[in-house]
Amino acid sequence: MIKMKKFLPLLLSIVCLSAAGQKKPNIVLLFADDAGYADFGFHGSTEMKTPNLDRLAKQSVRATQAYVSDPTCGPSRAGLLTGKYQQRFGYEENNVPGFMSPVSAADGLEMGLPLEEKTIADYLKKVGYTSAIFGKWHQGGADRFHPLKRGFDTFAGFRGGARSFFAYPKPPADPQNKFEYGFNNFQEPQKYLTDLLADEAVKFISENKEKPFFAYVAFNAVHTPMEATEEDLAQFPNLKGDRKVAAAMMLAMDRACGKILDHLDKEGLTENTIVIFTNDNGGPIEHNASINAPLAGAKASHLEGGIRVPFLIKWPGHLTANTTYDLPISTLDFLPTFYAVGGGNSKELTDLDGVDIMPFLSGKEEARPHEIMYWKKDARCVVREGDWKFIRYPDRPAELFRIDKDRSEQVNLATQYPDRIKEMYKMAFDWEVTLERPRWMLQKKYEQLDIELMDRYRHP
């Protein structure tokens, strides 16, 4: 018989290990802005230097068909934050209107992510998480839309969609792009913004390491303006123009990601932290010299180069490192996935379009996470059913592609499959009639510009 004095330490050890195994995982979402699909070492780039993200890729599952819910910044983020197609609550046409924005609705700061919509931070708060956002919010400039009023506990960033990476000598024309710590505490950054965001994330992690946290690091790199430090530019002597600046901006973002990853190691948190890296939409080739090959299209288009994004996810002990997942997933899936791993009851999530993707990524579930996926802007609408992709346009006949065989969308099968075209036209309309009307719309000339841009980059 084992004496109790000898058995007690063993029992306590088992209890402690069990408790540690049941601890809620921390979640760190590293979110790039306007990066090109091909502009990462783990996607084969030889021009860009992304050693930290390449290291993360070797520790992660890399999803080869990861999608955003819109090919532009603001709507994409609205889908991510709510787990719902943003068109369902009228956030369709484009970004939240900025200062003097050319839209056919109320301008300025008075529009944003509707207050009745719960965010990912709202849900995580219910299961005991502390949440922070660092960087770009882009969900409304008025105080009522502020991150600290939408479930987040910490904010260091800007409310708008784009700002300088350096301190403004005087307040910017759009008040949404002033840098803010907390609520209405505006202070311009005292160092290159991408590096500052990493510093703020590291500080948050240190201050909250004893409890489960969610850190949403929403970099504004490599979105315009094209600005980099002289030290980073010097690392690319063989590149020129915007491509050189984009490479330097990417290097800074990679460095920032590395700093956050290294700090998780330092604090002993790596084994119990889910880390995701992805991007908000395809690269806007004309604006930041990004490359989306082998995908056709660019930001604002519904070709794959506009909506398919790089995606890495690491969770030690739960997901197999250095593997790929090849079925379509979406950033709509973040909310239900994070809620489930945090201990939430998935039966409460009755009005979402995302799904918990952990069973799929881990191999426990072999079916597709999404049999049907949708995208929409104005008269354009996209339906993906299985590997069929249907695109409806305002100025030409619809197109049909088999994405599993033609990811570059070069072979239009519409005339070969007229019955499928008719069926998917109907699927698009049946979905559209369930949506709210857009709360704001760009002037029509901008839709023409998007179509012209798509044609310009029709071939990767």
Side-chain angles (χ1 to χ4, degrees):
M1 181 176 179
I2 301 174
K3 292 184 178 180
M4 197 63 187
K5 286 185 179 180
K6 293 183 178 180
F7 181 67
L8 188 57
L10 177 63
L11 179 62
L12 290 174
S13 176
I14 292 172
V15 170
C16 289
L17 287 172
S18 176
Q22 294 175 0
K23 186 179 179 182
K24 298 175 187 289
N26 306 306
I27 304 166
V28 174
L29 173 56
L30 305 171
F31 202 60
D33 192 354
D34 278 12
Y37 189 79
D39 287 338
F40 300 91
F42 62 83
H43 274 181
S45 178
T46 57
E47 290 185 333
M48 299 294 183
K49 297 179 180 180
T50 56
N52 293 294
L53 291 172
D54 298 346
R55 168 169 55 103
L56 178 63
K58 292 179 181 179
Q59 302 166 344
S60 301
V61 176
R62 180 172 64 86
T64 61
Q65 294 194 74
Y67 291 93
V68 289
S69 60
D70 192 88
T72 48
C73 302
S76 171
R77 284 168 167 76
L80 181 158
L81 286 165
T82 62
K84 299 164 67 170
Y85 287 113
Q86 63 280 354
Q87 296 93 340
R88 290 178 54 200
F89 46 84
Y91 196 146
E92 173 186 327
E93 283 297 309
N94 212 286
N95 297 322
V96 170
F99 186 69
M100 298 182 65
S101 185
V103 295
S104 58
D107 288 343
L109 308 179
E110 300 308 314
M111 306 196 76
L113 182 67
L115 299 182
E116 62 268 23
E117 298 300 328
K118 290 185 178 180
T119 72
I120 197 167
D122 288 323
Y123 280 95
L124 288 176
K125 190 180 292 292
K126 290 175 60 178
V127 290
Y129 278 74
T130 299
S131 297
I133 172 173
F134 304 103
K136 176 172 170 175
W137 174 237
H138 213 193
Q139 297 300 303
D143 285 351
R144 66 181 179 277
F145 300 120
H146 195 279
L148 298 186
K149 297 191 176 183
R150 308 307 300 270
F152 289 92
D153 303 289
T154 299
F155 175 55
F158 57 101
R159 304 185 193 186
R163 60 152 289 139
S164 174
F165 289 80
F166 300 100
Y168 286 115
K170 60 180 181 179
D174 188 341
Q176 295 185 81
N177 293 329
K178 295 188 292 184
F179 199 84
E180 184 176 12
Y181 293 88
F183 186 72
N184 284 333
N185 177 20
F186 298 103
Q187 301 176 40
E188 281 301 295
Q190 298 304 302
K191 64 191 305 185
Y192 187 69
L193 184 53
T194 305
D195 292 316
L196 175 65
L197 297 180
D199 292 346
E200 291 297 322
V202 162
K203 178 183 176 184
F204 170 79
I205 290 168
S206 291
E207 292 175 348
N208 294 277
K209 61 185 178 182
E210 301 299 331
K211 52 189 175 183
F213 61 78
F214 168 48
Y216 172 29
V217 189
F219 296 109
N220 52 320
V222 290
H223 194 292
T224 54
M226 303 303 290
E227 297 175 347
T229 67
E230 291 299 325
E231 293 80 5
D232 288 337
L233 288 167
Q235 299 298 310
F236 301 92
N238 297 324
L239 297 180
K240 297 180 180 179
D242 282 348
R243 187 65 178 165
K244 182 184 183 88
V245 182
M249 294 169 74
M250 183 71 78
L251 179 64
M253 183 178 67
D254 180 83
R255 178 174 62 245
C257 292
K259 183 169 186 176
I260 294 167
L261 295 172
D262 289 345
H263 191 70
L264 291 171
D265 283 343
K266 178 182 176 182
E267 295 286 6
L269 299 172
T270 295
E271 295 302 308
N272 193 45
T273 300
I274 299 169
V275 177
I276 293 176
F277 173 81
T278 189
N279 188 39
D280 65 344
N281 45 247
I285 300 169
E286 290 195 339
H287 298 291
N288 68 357
S290 50
I291 297 176
N292 295 319
L295 308 178
K299 176 180 179 176
S301 84
H302 288 97
L303 297 171
E304 293 291 288
I307 58 176
R308 192 189 293 204
V309 292
F311 185 100
L312 307 174
I313 180 168
K314 170 188 172 184
W315 191 10
H318 297 265
L319 299 176
T320 303
N322 204 22
T323 58
T324 60
Y325 183 76
D326 298 320
L327 294 174
I329 61 173
S330 170
T331 51
L332 297 175
D333 300 329
F334 288 167
L335 192 157
T337 301
F338 296 169
Y339 190 64
V341 300
N345 182 357
S346 59
K347 292 182 180 180
E348 299 174 6
L349 307 179
T350 58
D351 191 36
L352 302 186
D353 298 301
V355 300
D356 174 9
I357 54 173
M358 281 302 175
F360 300 92
L361 298 176
S362 66
K364 294 178 182 178
E365 177 60 66
E366 295 182 356
R368 285 176 176 260
H370 301 277
E371 286 294 335
I372 302 176
M373 304 172 81
Y374 301 97
W375 295 265
K376 174 178 168 57
K377 181 181 178 185
D378 198 64
R380 281 183 281 160
C381 191
V382 177
V383 179
R384 176 164 174 171
E385 182 184 25
D387 289 318
W388 291 99
K389 181 178 175 182
F390 163 90
I391 310 178
R392 188 189 68 201
Y393 297 100
D395 67 334
R396 68 196 69 185
E399 296 178 337
L400 183 68
F401 301 99
R402 275 296 299 261
I403 296 301
D404 56 332
K405 300 176 181 178
D406 180 24
R407 63 178 175 174
S408 299
E409 297 168 288
Q410 299 301 295
V411 182
N412 181 9
L413 301 171
T415 58
Q416 296 180 42
Y417 296 93
D419 290 342
R420 175 157 283 279
I421 281 285
K422 291 179 183 177
E423 177 186 345
M424 296 186 82
Y425 255 114
K426 186 67 164 56
M427 291 172 65
F429 181 73
D430 288 346
W431 178 66
E432 287 176 306
V433 298
T434 69
L435 308 177
E436 291 289 338
R437 290 196 176 275
R439 293 172 180 252
W440 59 85
M441 299 175 68
L442 279 177
Q443 295 174 358
K444 282 293 185 181
K445 65 180 180 180
Y446 292 98
E447 176 67 4
Q448 181 182 6
L449 292 175
D450 285 354
I451 294 294
E452 291 174 354
L453 188 67
M454 181 203 71
D455 288 339
R456 196 170 303 138
Y457 299 106
R458 193 64 182 78
H459 304 282

